[in-house]
Amino acid sequence: MNRPDTQALGGTVNARIGKVYMNLSKAHKKAADYVLSNVFRSATMSIDELANAVGISVATANRFARALGFEGYPQFRAELVSGFEAMLVPIDNLRNEVQRPATPAEIIAGTLNEDIANLEATRRGLDPALCEQAARMILNAERIYIIGYGASGFLAGLMAHNLDPYCKTVQSAMGTAGPSTVARQMFKYTEKDLVIGISFPRYAADVVTILTQLKEKRVPILALTDAPSSPLAALADITLFAQTRRQFSPNSEGAALCLIEAICSAVAHQSAAPVHAASEMTKFILPWLYQDPSHQAGRRAEEEAAFPEHPYRA
């Protein structure tokens, strides 16, 4: 999947500017220069914001749109937005929400209600057979690599952390040098391994590119994303969906994390010896876990009272 081409997305506007540029007024040329250099940013702006950015009046901004052949600024912006729709939805939602009077408590409560609705929708959408297959894919894999970028990179790291006690080898893209470094490691993966791709709107092009390459190599792919329309869904052998709608941001990472933790719980339950694995892991990392000194002293006192003549006591 190629990265968005801002020149192509704003192509109609660019072409219109090119045809009339020499005949534009000085103020309109200033606006045209700004738009040509900032296609995506211009698409996100209201007429007031564009006027302030360019240093012209709102009336001049509206006349600029008409000089390009549009009925007015709304039609001009609609043309700029074309192709950027998915990327701009969170920005438009945020603009609408911040204009609505509300207290911090109301915003917090409303956001929690959004997550409750997301989790309920995610639960209702679970396919038992796909959940079973996903857990078996994870447990049967020789090696697992979890790919996510942006906020999904943190989700990938948490998933790797939670799966580690129950799987042979688990890695995530978190902290790597970049997609090319991940791709070099993915080149070694085979049909015995598993790659888990995580991406939610706005989808990361690097994840799509890597999964496309892996699909050609027939490496098993498990995708975690938001909807069947996601580009990841067409590439994965198994896809599990989490609804991640949010008014103030592109996604609810909370809902995505809950799905990940639920998957990890299913894997732990289905693994051969989950209690033994968890116990051995805890025993190994015990030196790095904080223990209350007063509790330790209390235990030593109890041991001394119970075994005063222990031959190995110093």
Side-chain angles (χ1 to χ4, degrees), residues 70-154:
F70 295 102
E71 292 182 12
Y73 188 83
Q75 292 73 28
F76 162 76
R77 182 173 181 268
E79 188 62 42
L80 275 182
V81 166
S82 178
F84 285 124
E85 291 92 342
M87 302 178 196
L88 293 176
V89 165
I91 298 172
D92 288 336
N93 286 343
L94 179 59
R95 179 181 286 111
N96 293 334
E97 285 297 313
V98 297
Q99 293 173 350
R100 179 175 62 86
T103 66
E106 289 171 338
I107 296 300
I108 292 171
T111 300
L112 291 174
N113 284 334
E114 284 181 318
D115 274 337
I116 291 170
N118 283 332
L119 290 173
E120 180 58 28
T122 300
R123 187 188 64 79
R124 288 198 307 267
L126 288 175
D127 183 318
L130 293 182
C131 292
E132 178 75 22
Q133 292 176 53
R136 298 318 310 174
M137 286 176 75
I138 292 171
L139 287 168
N140 292 337
E142 290 289 330
R143 296 174 293 183
I144 298 174
Y145 206 105
I146 308 174
I147 304 173
Y149 291 102
S152 293
F154 296 98

Side-chain angles (χ1 to χ4, degrees), residues 64-300:
F64 165 66
R66 290 202 296 270
L68 299 182
F70 295 102
E71 292 182 12
Y73 188 83
Q75 292 73 28
F76 162 76
R77 182 173 181 268
E79 188 62 42
L80 275 182
V81 166
S82 178
F84 285 124
E85 291 92 342
M87 302 178 196
L88 293 176
V89 165
I91 298 172
D92 288 336
N93 286 343
L94 179 59
R95 179 181 286 111
N96 293 334
E97 285 297 313
V98 297
Q99 293 173 350
R100 179 175 62 86
T103 66
E106 289 171 338
I107 296 300
I108 292 171
T111 300
L112 291 174
N113 284 334
E114 284 181 318
D115 274 337
I116 291 170
N118 283 332
L119 290 173
E120 180 58 28
T122 300
R123 187 188 64 79
R124 288 198 307 267
L126 288 175
D127 183 318
L130 293 182
C131 292
E132 178 75 22
Q133 292 176 53
R136 298 318 310 174
M137 286 176 75
I138 292 171
L139 287 168
N140 292 337
E142 290 289 330
R143 296 174 293 183
I144 298 174
Y145 206 105
I146 308 174
I147 304 173
Y149 291 102
S152 293
F154 296 98
L155 295 174
L158 287 167
M159 188 172 194
H161 174 79
N162 288 342
L163 288 178
D164 193 57
Y166 314 107
C167 301
K168 298 174 183 177
T169 302
V170 185
Q171 291 179 272
S172 79
M174 191 76 174
T176 63
S180 62
T181 301
V182 173
R184 288 172 65 89
Q185 296 183 55
M186 294 295 92
F187 176 75
K188 306 171 188 175
Y189 273 50
T190 70
E191 296 179 16
K192 296 180 180 180
D193 303 310
L194 173 66
V195 172
I196 302 175
I198 305 176
S199 194
F200 295 88
R202 298 164 280 191
Y203 309 108
D206 288 328
V207 173
V208 177
T209 300
I210 292 172
L211 294 188
T212 300
Q213 295 291 95
L214 292 170
K215 186 176 178 66
E216 293 179 3
K217 283 174 55 64
R218 297 184 179 179
V219 176
I221 298 172
L222 169 62
L224 306 182
T225 190
D226 66 310
S229 57
S230 164
L232 274 67
L235 299 170
D237 299 283
I238 298 293
T239 305
L240 297 180
F241 301 105
Q243 180 170 296
T244 59
R245 295 173 186 167
R246 175 61 61 76
Q247 290 298 316
F248 279 91
S249 60
N251 291 295
S252 164
E253 271 69 49
L257 177 58
C258 284
L259 174 63
I260 286 170
E261 292 190 328
I263 293 169
C264 294
S265 295
V267 169
H269 182 268
Q270 294 294 311
S271 64
V275 176
H276 176 73
S279 177
E280 289 300 304
M281 170 74 78
T282 302
K283 179 181 177 182
F284 185 79
I285 66 173
L286 193 60
W288 291 273
L289 300 179
Y290 175 77
Q291 301 176 61
D292 190 329
S294 63
H295 290 172
Q296 291 179 309
R299 283 198 295 271
R300 283 197 296 268

